[in-house]
Amino acid sequence: MESVAYDQFLELENTHWWFLGRNAIFKHLVDRVIAPKLGGGLLRTLDLGCGMGGHLPFLTPHGPTVAVDMEPRCLRHCKDRGYPHVAAADGTRLPFVDGAFDLVTAFDTFEHIPDDAAAARECLRVLRPGGRLFVSGPAYRFLYSHQDRVVHHHRRYTTGSFGRVLRDAGFEVEKASYINFLLFPLILPAVLLLKLKERLRPPAPDAAYSNASVKVGRLANRALLGVFSFERRILARVSVPCGHSLILVARKPG
C-alpha cells in the first residue's frame, strides 16, 4: 500500500467505525463459529497480511499466532505491540512446513497478491487436514476506484469468484457471505458518485488519499459502528447475498 494508507490505518484502527466494525465481525465469527469447529482448544494461527496487527488482539487468545507481512514497518509495529512471532514472507511462498497451522486468516489480503490462486494453494499447504481458512476482501469489480489503486488492490471479488479460487486450490467452502450489507444502500450511491467525480476530474497519479481520509463526526461514527458491528449476530447464523465487502470460511479436506 501507499505509505499514507499505513499511516491512516494505524491512526484510525482503534477509532474509525469501519475498522472497529469489521474486527467485531471477525472476532465474533472466530470465537463463536470457527474455533468451536476446530475443537475449541489452543489453535496454531497464521495471520497472513497482518498489517499493523489490528487482528492479533482477538486471535492470540485462541493460541500462538504468527503474523506475516511483506512490509517491514508492519512487522516492527506488531513486535512493538507485544506480538513477537512475526515473519516477512510473500503469500505465495510461506516459510512454514506442511500442516503447521489449524487456522489461517487473511483479512483483506488476497486482493493485494498478484497470483491469488498460488496464495490459496499455499494456505492449503500450511493448514492441517480439517483446518480452516478465514478470508475477507472488497466486493464487486464495478466499485473499483482510486481508493483501490492507493491501497494496491489487483481486484475486487464476488463470493462466487473468490469461492472458485479457493475450490480450485482444493478447499471446501463452508461459508460465503457479503458484509457491510446494512449500510450498503448508503455506500453504493456514494461510491458511484465518487467514481463519476473521478471520471470527470481524474485524481493526480500521486494523489494518495484513501476513503479513511473522510472525516466522520463522533456521533455519526458511533452510529455507523453500531450498525456495522450488529451484522455479526446475523452472520453467525446466515449468509447474506450483497454488501460492500465479503467473507469466506473454507476447510482443508481430511
Side-chain angles (χ1 to χ4, degrees):
M1 296 191 297
E2 297 292 340
S3 178
V4 66
Y6 285 112
D7 294 338
Q8 288 177 344
F9 291 177
L10 179 59
E11 177 186 354
L12 298 174
E13 69 175 9
N14 292 317
T15 58
H16 194 281
W17 68 270
W18 185 82
F19 293 96
L20 294 174
R22 69 198 284 271
N23 279 357
I25 291 171
F26 298 160
K27 179 182 186 302
H28 192 79
L29 292 177
V30 170
D31 292 349
R32 304 294 181 89
V33 178
I34 298 173
K37 288 183 176 181
L38 290 170
L42 288 178
L43 303 179
R44 300 165 298 166
T45 299
L46 167 65
D47 186 24
L48 178 60
C50 63
M52 294 298 190
H55 316 121
L56 299 177
F58 65 82
L59 293 175
T60 52
H62 290 281
T65 301
V66 179
V68 171
D69 207 287
M70 292 184 64
E71 176 58 47
R73 66 182 295 191
C74 292
L75 302 180
R76 288 195 301 269
H77 186 71
C78 289
K79 285 186 174 182
D80 291 342
R81 296 177 71 161
Y83 303 107
H85 305 300
V86 302
D90 183 329
T92 62
R93 294 187 298 274
L94 296 172
F96 307 106
V97 299
D98 297 358
F101 298 98
D102 304 296
L103 172 64
V104 174
T105 59
F107 299 129
D108 285 32
T109 297
F110 269 60
E111 65 273 15
H112 295 276
I113 301 174
D115 191 348
D116 56 353
R121 292 192 296 270
E122 272 294 87
C123 289
L124 185 81
R125 181 185 66 79
V126 301
L127 277 170
R128 66 158 171 88
R132 294 321 197 268
L133 172 67
F134 183 14
V135 298
S136 69
Y140 302 125
R141 174 68 190 181
F142 73 89
L143 293 180
Y144 194 95
S145 68
H146 179 71
Q147 158 78 12
D148 295 279
R149 290 186 287 273
V150 169
V151 296
H152 295 180
H153 287 174
H154 291 277
R155 66 194 71 83
R156 297 177 74 95
Y157 293 96
T158 63
T159 53
S161 66
F162 211 154
R164 282 192 295 275
V165 172
L166 301 186
R167 291 187 186 94
D168 288 347
F171 281 102
E172 299 170 351
V173 176
E174 295 183 323
K175 183 179 185 65
S177 178
Y178 292 88
I179 66 172
N180 209 351
F181 55 87
L182 293 176
L183 294 170
F184 193 49
L186 300 177
I187 293 172
L188 178 59
V191 174
L192 293 178
L193 284 173
L194 181 60
K195 283 175 63 68
L196 176 61
K197 177 183 176 182
E198 291 174 358
R199 175 161 296 200
L200 296 175
R201 184 178 296 177
D206 60 349
Y209 64 85
S210 72
N211 290 347
S213 306
V214 178
K215 299 296 183 182
V216 179
R218 183 179 301 178
L219 291 179
N221 190 70
R222 186 179 302 174
L224 292 168
L225 171 59
V227 173
F228 190 16
S229 62
F230 178 77
E231 293 183 2
R232 70 192 188 278
R233 304 185 183 279
I234 300 170
L235 292 164
R237 295 173 172 81
V238 299
S239 296
V240 177
C242 63
H244 189 244
S245 302
L246 49 78
I247 55 170
L248 291 91
V249 179
R251 176 182 180 272
K252 179 175 180 176

mmCIF file with all atom_site columns, all heavy atoms in Angstrom, residues 19-37:
data_model
loop_
_atom_site.group_PDB
_atom_site.id
_atom_site.type_symbol
_atom_site.label_atom_id
_atom_site.label_alt_id
_atom_site.label_comp_id
_atom_site.label_asym_id
_atom_site.label_entity_id
_atom_site.label_seq_id
_atom_site.pdbx_PDB_ins_code
_atom_site.Cartn_x
_atom_site.Cartn_y
_atom_site.Cartn_z
_atom_site.occupancy
_atom_site.B_iso_or_equiv
_atom_site.pdbx_formal_charge
_atom_site.auth_seq_id
_atom_site.auth_comp_id
_atom_site.auth_asym_id
_atom_site.auth_atom_id
_atom_site.pdbx_PDB_model_num
ATOM 1   N N   . PHE A 1 19 ? -13.033 0.051   10.739 1.00 0.00 ? 19 PHE A N   1
ATOM 2   C CA  . PHE A 1 19 ? -12.053 -0.863  11.319 1.00 0.00 ? 19 PHE A CA  1
ATOM 3   C C   . PHE A 1 19 ? -12.638 -1.591  12.528 1.00 0.00 ? 19 PHE A C   1
ATOM 4   O O   . PHE A 1 19 ? -12.496 -2.816  12.669 1.00 0.00 ? 19 PHE A O   1
ATOM 5   C CB  . PHE A 1 19 ? -10.791 -0.103  11.743 1.00 0.00 ? 19 PHE A CB  1
ATOM 6   C CG  . PHE A 1 19 ? -10.012 0.455   10.596 1.00 0.00 ? 19 PHE A CG  1
ATOM 7   C CD1 . PHE A 1 19 ? -10.183 1.773   10.193 1.00 0.00 ? 19 PHE A CD1 1
ATOM 8   C CD2 . PHE A 1 19 ? -9.099  -0.317  9.903  1.00 0.00 ? 19 PHE A CD2 1
ATOM 9   C CE1 . PHE A 1 19 ? -9.467  2.297   9.136  1.00 0.00 ? 19 PHE A CE1 1
ATOM 10  C CE2 . PHE A 1 19 ? -8.378  0.197   8.839  1.00 0.00 ? 19 PHE A CE2 1
ATOM 11  C CZ  . PHE A 1 19 ? -8.554  1.507   8.454  1.00 0.00 ? 19 PHE A CZ  1
ATOM 12  N N   . LEU A 1 20 ? -13.302 -0.853  13.396 1.00 0.00 ? 20 LEU A N   1
ATOM 13  C CA  . LEU A 1 20 ? -13.857 -1.460  14.600 1.00 0.00 ? 20 LEU A CA  1
ATOM 14  C C   . LEU A 1 20 ? -14.991 -2.418  14.263 1.00 0.00 ? 20 LEU A C   1
ATOM 15  O O   . LEU A 1 20 ? -15.120 -3.492  14.866 1.00 0.00 ? 20 LEU A O   1
ATOM 16  C CB  . LEU A 1 20 ? -14.347 -0.366  15.549 1.00 0.00 ? 20 LEU A CB  1
ATOM 17  C CG  . LEU A 1 20 ? -13.263 0.546   16.134 1.00 0.00 ? 20 LEU A CG  1
ATOM 18  C CD1 . LEU A 1 20 ? -13.910 1.675   16.932 1.00 0.00 ? 20 LEU A CD1 1
ATOM 19  C CD2 . LEU A 1 20 ? -12.303 -0.231  17.008 1.00 0.00 ? 20 LEU A CD2 1
ATOM 20  N N   . GLY A 1 21 ? -15.829 -2.037  13.290 1.00 0.00 ? 21 GLY A N   1
ATOM 21  C CA  . GLY A 1 21 ? -16.961 -2.877  12.934 1.00 0.00 ? 21 GLY A CA  1
ATOM 22  C C   . GLY A 1 21 ? -16.547 -4.194  12.313 1.00 0.00 ? 21 GLY A C   1
ATOM 23  O O   . GLY A 1 21 ? -17.066 -5.265  12.667 1.00 0.00 ? 21 GLY A O   1
ATOM 24  N N   . ARG A 1 22 ? -15.602 -4.148  11.384 1.00 0.00 ? 22 ARG A N   1
ATOM 25  C CA  . ARG A 1 22 ? -15.176 -5.388  10.735 1.00 0.00 ? 22 ARG A CA  1
ATOM 26  C C   . ARG A 1 22 ? -14.470 -6.301  11.723 1.00 0.00 ? 22 ARG A C   1
ATOM 27  O O   . ARG A 1 22 ? -14.661 -7.522  11.696 1.00 0.00 ? 22 ARG A O   1
ATOM 28  C CB  . ARG A 1 22 ? -14.303 -5.093  9.509  1.00 0.00 ? 22 ARG A CB  1
ATOM 29  C CG  . ARG A 1 22 ? -12.957 -4.513  9.815  1.00 0.00 ? 22 ARG A CG  1
ATOM 30  C CD  . ARG A 1 22 ? -12.314 -3.848  8.610  1.00 0.00 ? 22 ARG A CD  1
ATOM 31  N NE  . ARG A 1 22 ? -11.773 -4.794  7.653  1.00 0.00 ? 22 ARG A NE  1
ATOM 32  C CZ  . ARG A 1 22 ? -10.525 -5.271  7.710  1.00 0.00 ? 22 ARG A CZ  1
ATOM 33  N NH1 . ARG A 1 22 ? -9.720  -4.900  8.711  1.00 0.00 ? 22 ARG A NH1 1
ATOM 34  N NH2 . ARG A 1 22 ? -10.068 -6.094  6.802  1.00 0.00 ? 22 ARG A NH2 1
ATOM 35  N N   . ASN A 1 23 ? -13.662 -5.721  12.624 1.00 0.00 ? 23 ASN A N   1
ATOM 36  C CA  . ASN A 1 23 ? -12.997 -6.555  13.613 1.00 0.00 ? 23 ASN A CA  1
ATOM 37  C C   . ASN A 1 23 ? -13.993 -7.187  14.580 1.00 0.00 ? 23 ASN A C   1
ATOM 38  O O   . ASN A 1 23 ? -13.785 -8.312  15.056 1.00 0.00 ? 23 ASN A O   1
ATOM 39  C CB  . ASN A 1 23 ? -11.950 -5.752  14.375 1.00 0.00 ? 23 ASN A CB  1
ATOM 40  C CG  . ASN A 1 23 ? -10.645 -5.636  13.607 1.00 0.00 ? 23 ASN A CG  1
ATOM 41  O OD1 . ASN A 1 23 ? -10.498 -6.198  12.518 1.00 0.00 ? 23 ASN A OD1 1
ATOM 42  N ND2 . ASN A 1 23 ? -9.687  -4.912  14.165 1.00 0.00 ? 23 ASN A ND2 1
ATOM 43  N N   . ALA A 1 24 ? -15.074 -6.477  14.877 1.00 0.00 ? 24 ALA A N   1
ATOM 44  C CA  . ALA A 1 24 ? -16.115 -7.068  15.721 1.00 0.00 ? 24 ALA A CA  1
ATOM 45  C C   . ALA A 1 24 ? -16.740 -8.281  15.032 1.00 0.00 ? 24 ALA A C   1
ATOM 46  O O   . ALA A 1 24 ? -17.022 -9.300  15.671 1.00 0.00 ? 24 ALA A O   1
ATOM 47  C CB  . ALA A 1 24 ? -17.188 -6.030  16.044 1.00 0.00 ? 24 ALA A CB  1
ATOM 48  N N   . ILE A 1 25 ? -16.952 -8.187  13.722 1.00 0.00 ? 25 ILE A N   1
ATOM 49  C CA  . ILE A 1 25 ? -17.495 -9.308  12.954 1.00 0.00 ? 25 ILE A CA  1
ATOM 50  C C   . ILE A 1 25 ? -16.503 -10.459 12.922 1.00 0.00 ? 25 ILE A C   1
ATOM 51  O O   . ILE A 1 25 ? -16.851 -11.617 13.184 1.00 0.00 ? 25 ILE A O   1
ATOM 52  C CB  . ILE A 1 25 ? -17.853 -8.849  11.535 1.00 0.00 ? 25 ILE A CB  1
ATOM 53  C CG1 . ILE A 1 25 ? -19.046 -7.890  11.579 1.00 0.00 ? 25 ILE A CG1 1
ATOM 54  C CG2 . ILE A 1 25 ? -18.163 -10.048 10.641 1.00 0.00 ? 25 ILE A CG2 1
ATOM 55  C CD1 . ILE A 1 25 ? -19.331 -7.207  10.251 1.00 0.00 ? 25 ILE A CD1 1
ATOM 56  N N   . PHE A 1 26 ? -15.243 -10.167 12.587 1.00 0.00 ? 26 PHE A N   1
ATOM 57  C CA  . PHE A 1 26 ? -14.233 -11.219 12.502 1.00 0.00 ? 26 PHE A CA  1
ATOM 58  C C   . PHE A 1 26 ? -14.072 -11.930 13.843 1.00 0.00 ? 26 PHE A C   1
ATOM 59  O O   . PHE A 1 26 ? -14.004 -13.160 13.906 1.00 0.00 ? 26 PHE A O   1
ATOM 60  C CB  . PHE A 1 26 ? -12.889 -10.632 12.070 1.00 0.00 ? 26 PHE A CB  1
ATOM 61  C CG  . PHE A 1 26 ? -12.892 -9.988  10.708 1.00 0.00 ? 26 PHE A CG  1
ATOM 62  C CD1 . PHE A 1 26 ? -11.914 -9.070  10.364 1.00 0.00 ? 26 PHE A CD1 1
ATOM 63  C CD2 . PHE A 1 26 ? -13.872 -10.282 9.775  1.00 0.00 ? 26 PHE A CD2 1
ATOM 64  C CE1 . PHE A 1 26 ? -11.901 -8.470  9.113  1.00 0.00 ? 26 PHE A CE1 1
ATOM 65  C CE2 . PHE A 1 26 ? -13.882 -9.683  8.514  1.00 0.00 ? 26 PHE A CE2 1
ATOM 66  C CZ  . PHE A 1 26 ? -12.885 -8.778  8.190  1.00 0.00 ? 26 PHE A CZ  1
ATOM 67  N N   . LYS A 1 27 ? -13.976 -11.154 14.928 1.00 0.00 ? 27 LYS A N   1
ATOM 68  C CA  . LYS A 1 27 ? -13.800 -11.743 16.258 1.00 0.00 ? 27 LYS A CA  1
ATOM 69  C C   . LYS A 1 27 ? -14.978 -12.647 16.611 1.00 0.00 ? 27 LYS A C   1
ATOM 70  O O   . LYS A 1 27 ? -14.804 -13.759 17.125 1.00 0.00 ? 27 LYS A O   1
ATOM 71  C CB  . LYS A 1 27 ? -13.652 -10.647 17.307 1.00 0.00 ? 27 LYS A CB  1
ATOM 72  C CG  . LYS A 1 27 ? -13.491 -11.168 18.732 1.00 0.00 ? 27 LYS A CG  1
ATOM 73  C CD  . LYS A 1 27 ? -13.400 -10.027 19.733 1.00 0.00 ? 27 LYS A CD  1
ATOM 74  C CE  . LYS A 1 27 ? -13.101 -10.541 21.134 1.00 0.00 ? 27 LYS A CE  1
ATOM 75  N NZ  . LYS A 1 27 ? -14.111 -11.505 21.626 1.00 0.00 ? 27 LYS A NZ  1
ATOM 76  N N   . HIS A 1 28 ? -16.179 -12.177 16.342 1.00 0.00 ? 28 HIS A N   1
ATOM 77  C CA  . HIS A 1 28 ? -17.373 -12.945 16.690 1.00 0.00 ? 28 HIS A CA  1
ATOM 78  C C   . HIS A 1 28 ? -17.385 -14.280 15.945 1.00 0.00 ? 28 HIS A C   1
ATOM 79  O O   . HIS A 1 28 ? -17.697 -15.326 16.536 1.00 0.00 ? 28 HIS A O   1
ATOM 80  C CB  . HIS A 1 28 ? -18.617 -12.134 16.334 1.00 0.00 ? 28 HIS A CB  1
ATOM 81  C CG  . HIS A 1 28 ? -19.892 -12.689 16.889 1.00 0.00 ? 28 HIS A CG  1
ATOM 82  N ND1 . HIS A 1 28 ? -20.269 -12.505 18.198 1.00 0.00 ? 28 HIS A ND1 1
ATOM 83  C CD2 . HIS A 1 28 ? -20.880 -13.424 16.310 1.00 0.00 ? 28 HIS A CD2 1
ATOM 84  C CE1 . HIS A 1 28 ? -21.432 -13.098 18.415 1.00 0.00 ? 28 HIS A CE1 1
ATOM 85  N NE2 . HIS A 1 28 ? -21.820 -13.670 17.273 1.00 0.00 ? 28 HIS A NE2 1
ATOM 86  N N   . LEU A 1 29 ? -17.031 -14.253 14.667 1.00 0.00 ? 29 LEU A N   1
ATOM 87  C CA  . LEU A 1 29 ? -17.054 -15.491 13.891 1.00 0.00 ? 29 LEU A CA  1
ATOM 88  C C   . LEU A 1 29 ? -15.938 -16.436 14.318 1.00 0.00 ? 29 LEU A C   1
ATOM 89  O O   . LEU A 1 29 ? -16.140 -17.657 14.355 1.00 0.00 ? 29 LEU A O   1
ATOM 90  C CB  . LEU A 1 29 ? -16.952 -15.172 12.400 1.00 0.00 ? 29 LEU A CB  1
ATOM 91  C CG  . LEU A 1 29 ? -18.168 -14.463 11.804 1.00 0.00 ? 29 LEU A CG  1
ATOM 92  C CD1 . LEU A 1 29 ? -17.942 -14.138 10.346 1.00 0.00 ? 29 LEU A CD1 1
ATOM 93  C CD2 . LEU A 1 29 ? -19.420 -15.311 11.953 1.00 0.00 ? 29 LEU A CD2 1
ATOM 94  N N   . VAL A 1 30 ? -14.763 -15.907 14.641 1.00 0.00 ? 30 VAL A N   1
ATOM 95  C CA  . VAL A 1 30 ? -13.693 -16.770 15.152 1.00 0.00 ? 30 VAL A CA  1
ATOM 96  C C   . VAL A 1 30 ? -14.103 -17.390 16.478 1.00 0.00 ? 30 VAL A C   1
ATOM 97  O O   . VAL A 1 30 ? -13.968 -18.605 16.694 1.00 0.00 ? 30 VAL A O   1
ATOM 98  C CB  . VAL A 1 30 ? -12.372 -15.979 15.298 1.00 0.00 ? 30 VAL A CB  1
ATOM 99  C CG1 . VAL A 1 30 ? -11.344 -16.799 16.060 1.00 0.00 ? 30 VAL A CG1 1
ATOM 100 C CG2 . VAL A 1 30 ? -11.817 -15.601 13.926 1.00 0.00 ? 30 VAL A CG2 1
ATOM 101 N N   . ASP A 1 31 ? -14.628 -16.569 17.388 1.00 0.00 ? 31 ASP A N   1
ATOM 102 C CA  . ASP A 1 31 ? -14.990 -17.056 18.721 1.00 0.00 ? 31 ASP A CA  1
ATOM 103 C C   . ASP A 1 31 ? -16.157 -18.029 18.699 1.00 0.00 ? 31 ASP A C   1
ATOM 104 O O   . ASP A 1 31 ? -16.126 -19.064 19.386 1.00 0.00 ? 31 ASP A O   1
ATOM 105 C CB  . ASP A 1 31 ? -15.362 -15.869 19.630 1.00 0.00 ? 31 ASP A CB  1
ATOM 106 C CG  . ASP A 1 31 ? -14.191 -14.969 19.954 1.00 0.00 ? 31 ASP A CG  1
ATOM 107 O OD1 . ASP A 1 31 ? -13.046 -15.345 19.665 1.00 0.00 ? 31 ASP A OD1 1
ATOM 108 O OD2 . ASP A 1 31 ? -14.432 -13.867 20.497 1.00 0.00 ? 31 ASP A OD2 1
ATOM 109 N N   . ARG A 1 32 ? -17.201 -17.698 17.940 1.00 0.00 ? 32 ARG A N   1
ATOM 110 C CA  . ARG A 1 32 ? -18.462 -18.427 18.040 1.00 0.00 ? 32 ARG A CA  1
ATOM 111 C C   . ARG A 1 32 ? -18.649 -19.508 16.979 1.00 0.00 ? 32 ARG A C   1
ATOM 112 O O   . ARG A 1 32 ? -19.463 -20.419 17.182 1.00 0.00 ? 32 ARG A O   1
ATOM 113 C CB  . ARG A 1 32 ? -19.635 -17.450 17.951 1.00 0.00 ? 32 ARG A CB  1
ATOM 114 C CG  . ARG A 1 32 ? -19.615 -16.329 18.988 1.00 0.00 ? 32 ARG A CG  1
ATOM 115 C CD  . ARG A 1 32 ? -19.787 -16.858 20.391 1.00 0.00 ? 32 ARG A CD  1
ATOM 116 N NE  . ARG A 1 32 ? -19.790 -15.791 21.367 1.00 0.00 ? 32 ARG A NE  1
ATOM 117 C CZ  . ARG A 1 32 ? -20.887 -15.138 21.761 1.00 0.00 ? 32 ARG A CZ  1
ATOM 118 N NH1 . ARG A 1 32 ? -22.055 -15.462 21.236 1.00 0.00 ? 32 ARG A NH1 1
ATOM 119 N NH2 . ARG A 1 32 ? -20.818 -14.171 22.651 1.00 0.00 ? 32 ARG A NH2 1
ATOM 120 N N   . VAL A 1 33 ? -17.944 -19.400 15.858 1.00 0.00 ? 33 VAL A N   1
ATOM 121 C CA  . VAL A 1 33 ? -18.177 -20.337 14.753 1.00 0.00 ? 33 VAL A CA  1
ATOM 122 C C   . VAL A 1 33 ? -16.936 -21.165 14.439 1.00 0.00 ? 33 VAL A C   1
ATOM 123 O O   . VAL A 1 33 ? -16.981 -22.406 14.448 1.00 0.00 ? 33 VAL A O   1
ATOM 124 C CB  . VAL A 1 33 ? -18.632 -19.571 13.481 1.00 0.00 ? 33 VAL A CB  1
ATOM 125 C CG1 . VAL A 1 33 ? -18.829 -20.549 12.321 1.00 0.00 ? 33 VAL A CG1 1
ATOM 126 C CG2 . VAL A 1 33 ? -19.923 -18.803 13.756 1.00 0.00 ? 33 VAL A CG2 1
ATOM 127 N N   . ILE A 1 34 ? -15.814 -20.510 14.179 1.00 0.00 ? 34 ILE A N   1
ATOM 128 C CA  . ILE A 1 34 ? -14.645 -21.228 13.678 1.00 0.00 ? 34 ILE A CA  1
ATOM 129 C C   . ILE A 1 34 ? -13.924 -21.996 14.772 1.00 0.00 ? 34 ILE A C   1
ATOM 130 O O   . ILE A 1 34 ? -13.624 -23.189 14.614 1.00 0.00 ? 34 ILE A O   1
ATOM 131 C CB  . ILE A 1 34 ? -13.696 -20.248 12.968 1.00 0.00 ? 34 ILE A CB  1
ATOM 132 C CG1 . ILE A 1 34 ? -14.405 -19.631 11.755 1.00 0.00 ? 34 ILE A CG1 1
ATOM 133 C CG2 . ILE A 1 34 ? -12.419 -20.950 12.540 1.00 0.00 ? 34 ILE A CG2 1
ATOM 134 C CD1 . ILE A 1 34 ? -13.623 -18.527 11.077 1.00 0.00 ? 34 ILE A CD1 1
ATOM 135 N N   . ALA A 1 35 ? -13.600 -21.349 15.896 1.00 0.00 ? 35 ALA A N   1
ATOM 136 C CA  . ALA A 1 35 ? -12.882 -22.033 16.967 1.00 0.00 ? 35 ALA A CA  1
ATOM 137 C C   . ALA A 1 35 ? -13.629 -23.274 17.463 1.00 0.00 ? 35 ALA A C   1
ATOM 138 O O   . ALA A 1 35 ? -13.010 -24.337 17.651 1.00 0.00 ? 35 ALA A O   1
ATOM 139 C CB  . ALA A 1 35 ? -12.603 -21.070 18.127 1.00 0.00 ? 35 ALA A CB  1
ATOM 140 N N   . PRO A 1 36 ? -14.958 -23.222 17.681 1.00 0.00 ? 36 PRO A N   1
ATOM 141 C CA  . PRO A 1 36 ? -15.660 -24.451 18.086 1.00 0.00 ? 36 PRO A CA  1
ATOM 142 C C   . PRO A 1 36 ? -15.542 -25.574 17.059 1.00 0.00 ? 36 PRO A C   1
ATOM 143 O O   . PRO A 1 36 ? -15.436 -26.753 17.435 1.00 0.00 ? 36 PRO A O   1
ATOM 144 C CB  . PRO A 1 36 ? -17.105 -23.982 18.242 1.00 0.00 ? 36 PRO A CB  1
ATOM 145 C CG  . PRO A 1 36 ? -16.998 -22.534 18.578 1.00 0.00 ? 36 PRO A CG  1
ATOM 146 C CD  . PRO A 1 36 ? -15.837 -22.036 17.770 1.00 0.00 ? 36 PRO A CD  1
ATOM 147 N N   . LYS A 1 37 ? -15.547 -25.240 15.772 1.00 0.00 ? 37 LYS A N   1
ATOM 148 C CA  . LYS A 1 37 ? -15.406 -26.275 14.748 1.00 0.00 ? 37 LYS A CA  1
ATOM 149 C C   . LYS A 1 37 ? -14.027 -26.917 14.773 1.00 0.00 ? 37 LYS A C   1
ATOM 150 O O   . LYS A 1 37 ? -13.859 -28.059 14.333 1.00 0.00 ? 37 LYS A O   1
ATOM 151 C CB  . LYS A 1 37 ? -15.674 -25.685 13.363 1.00 0.00 ? 37 LYS A CB  1
ATOM 152 C CG  . LYS A 1 37 ? -17.129 -25.363 13.084 1.00 0.00 ? 37 LYS A CG  1
ATOM 153 C CD  . LYS A 1 37 ? -17.312 -24.855 11.662 1.00 0.00 ? 37 LYS A CD  1
ATOM 154 C CE  . LYS A 1 37 ? -18.782 -24.614 11.355 1.00 0.00 ? 37 LYS A CE  1
ATOM 155 N NZ  . LYS A 1 37 ? -18.990 -24.129 9.964  1.00 0.00 ? 37 LYS A NZ  1
#
